[in-house]
Amino acid sequence: RDWSSDVCSSDLLQGEEQKKGTPTMGGFIILLDDSLHIGDVITVDGHYGVVNELRFRYLILRKLDGTQVAIPHETIISGTVINHSHAHGKTRVLLPIQVSYDSDVAQVMHVLEDCARRQSRVLQDMPIEALLTGFADNGISMSLTFWVTDPEDGTMSVQSAVYLDIWHEFKRLDIEIPYPRRDVHVTQATTKASTKKPKHPDTQSNLRWDDVY
């Protein structure tokens, strides 16, 4: 009798059973750990949304577009989970933006921060900060960060409102938003004009009346 094959088969079966039991054990771990709750706003495995249901093998995540995603507990345990609700009902928003190299950077920073402060969902007691983040090919890279309430309502509407206010202010103050463009220089080769006149025999000037008659 080949006992080694029996041992291998036993190990494989045990591994399969452990694999099958991992989601269920993950559910117990999450429930006992009390790290996630229904209504929490989380980011996991590239998905952002609200925890709608907690089951033994997976959780149901309701995304901001209304779709629902089933996330296995083994993904939550082995991956990275960002719980935005643990920030006491607020979340941080970052908006990237570029301005031309002719812009007054200090003025742009002031405009960006003012546009964020004018929004009702933006928390005034949290940092509102405009930063210069780099120098790109087409312009100066900047960012605007602020905090908003009710992350379960999403952040797209407040981002749109801030961007729209920035657009109007940039138009009013003639602050240019750069776009990719290329300068093409055309050079024309000049050739020396010939000073020789073309030969055009004037046969009429050589005619005489006696030749005609």
Side-chain angles (χ1 to χ4, degrees), residues 69-163:
V69 183
I71 308 292
H73 290 315
E74 56 185 345
T75 301
I76 297 173
I77 294 173
S78 61
T80 301
V81 179
I82 302 174
N83 194 329
H84 304 280
S85 299
H86 281 188
H88 306 291
K90 53 195 173 187
T91 187
R92 182 172 174 267
V93 179
L94 185 147
L95 302 182
I97 195 167
Q98 275 193 354
V99 294
S100 71
Y101 281 104
D102 296 329
S103 303
D104 183 339
V105 175
Q107 180 191 32
V108 172
M109 288 181 171
H110 181 73
V111 169
L112 294 178
E113 292 175 359
D114 279 351
C115 289
R117 288 192 181 96
R118 285 196 283 265
Q119 303 303 317
S120 60
R121 284 186 61 194
V122 174
L123 295 171
Q124 305 299 317
D125 58 343
M126 296 295 291
I128 299 174
E129 193 172 21
L131 297 173
L132 192 156
T133 59
F135 301 100
D137 293 337
N138 302 308
I140 302 173
S141 298
M142 307 188 71
S143 68
L144 173 65
T145 58
F146 52 86
W147 292 76
V148 300
T149 58
D150 303 325
E152 64 273 8
D153 293 335
T155 60
M156 291 303 297
S157 60
V158 69
Q159 289 185 50
S160 176
V162 174
Y163 269 135

Side-chain angles (χ1 to χ4, degrees), residues 47-71:
H47 300 287
Y48 175 85
V50 182
V51 178
N52 200 33
E53 294 182 44
L54 277 173
R55 301 184 180 181
F56 283 114
R57 293 183 178 273
Y58 56 88
L59 64 80
I60 302 295
L61 190 70
R62 177 171 53 82
K63 302 179 70 173
L64 300 182
D65 59 2
T67 59
Q68 294 187 342
V69 183
I71 308 292

Side-chain angles (χ1 to χ4, degrees), residues 164-183:
L164 187 61
D165 201 5
I166 291 172
W167 172 260
H168 290 318
E169 286 298 302
F170 279 11
K171 285 287 188 180
R172 184 177 68 84
L173 298 171
D174 292 327
I175 299 174
E176 182 184 354
I177 298 177
Y179 55 89
R181 56 187 175 189
R182 297 290 181 267
D183 294 330

